[in-house]
Amino acid sequence: MDKLFAKFANATARISGSPPAFLICVLVVAAWAVSGPMFGFSQTWQLVINTGTTIVTFLMVFLIQNTQNRDGAAIQTKLDELILTSAAENQFIGIEKLTEKELEAMHAQCVEHARKVQERLDKVTAEREARTRSRASPKAKRAPAERPPAKNAPARRVKTS
């Protein structure tokens, strides 16, 4: 039963979100509006569109919510698996079940951690730029020129790894 409902909910959500479904809805509303003069814009004429849209909306809310719940659970499961199989901190597994205050506290920790990492990155970048500038300056020392080997000197072996 669950699989059948899941398939139905997915198909309905996919179809109802399509351009042809939207066009059909626009045509139904246009036909209703055009038929107004024939029915004298009566209360019954208004009740038809109100009742129809209310019923469709009521049913679609449950189908779309079901689809979103399953999608959200699937995404959370995938994220948990990525956390478990990576070097990430396992404390993030299941945080979707935390309260708003607990989530805000974890977010604040992440922001603080990101700030510290950015500071380190800025420091390393500045140090790297300073080294690059010092190498490019004309006052930098040059390495001594290599002398050719003596006539009868044994050949140097270069280590390869």
Side-chain angles (χ1 to χ4, degrees):
M1 179 73 176
D2 283 345
K3 281 191 176 188
L4 182 65
F5 182 73
K7 285 182 180 182
F8 176 73
N10 279 338
T12 304
R14 188 174 46 256
I15 292 167
S16 65
S18 69
F22 178 76
L23 183 61
I24 290 169
C25 290
V26 168
L27 292 174
V28 167
V29 171
W32 171 79
V34 168
S35 70
M38 288 187 294
F39 293 100
F41 299 104
S42 68
Q43 287 185 350
T44 304
W45 172 77
Q46 292 177 17
L47 188 61
V48 167
I49 196 72
N50 289 339
T51 304
T53 56
T54 301
I55 291 170
V56 169
T57 303
F58 180 74
L59 295 175
M60 289 303 294
V61 163
F62 292 103
L63 292 174
I64 293 171
Q65 188 63 50
N66 176 270
T67 303
Q68 287 180 340
N69 288 346
R70 282 185 290 103
D71 286 348
I75 289 170
Q76 288 304 321
T77 302
K78 290 174 185 179
L79 289 173
D80 288 350
E81 178 63 18
L82 288 173
I83 290 169
L84 283 171
T85 59
S86 71
E89 296 179 29
N90 289 347
Q91 72 182 28
F92 290 101
I93 292 178
I95 66 170
E96 68 276 5
K97 296 175 183 104
L98 297 178
T99 66
E100 198 68 31
K101 283 187 178 185
E102 292 169 329
L103 283 173
E104 287 174 12
M106 286 193 82
H107 179 72
Q109 284 178 334
C110 288
V111 168
E112 180 60 23
H113 182 69
R115 186 190 61 74
K116 287 178 183 178
V117 168
Q118 187 62 47
E119 285 176 0
R120 277 189 255 146
L121 181 62
D122 292 345
K123 187 176 179 180
V124 168
T125 302
E127 187 175 314
R128 188 175 290 149
E129 288 172 357
R131 287 181 185 173
T132 302
R133 281 192 303 268
S134 70
R135 285 187 197 141
S137 72
K139 295 180 183 178
K141 293 183 180 179
R142 293 187 178 169
E146 285 193 34
R147 294 181 168 173
K151 249 185 178 177
N152 295 331
R156 289 186 176 173
R157 293 187 182 193
V158 177
K159 281 188 175 180
T160 57
S161 353

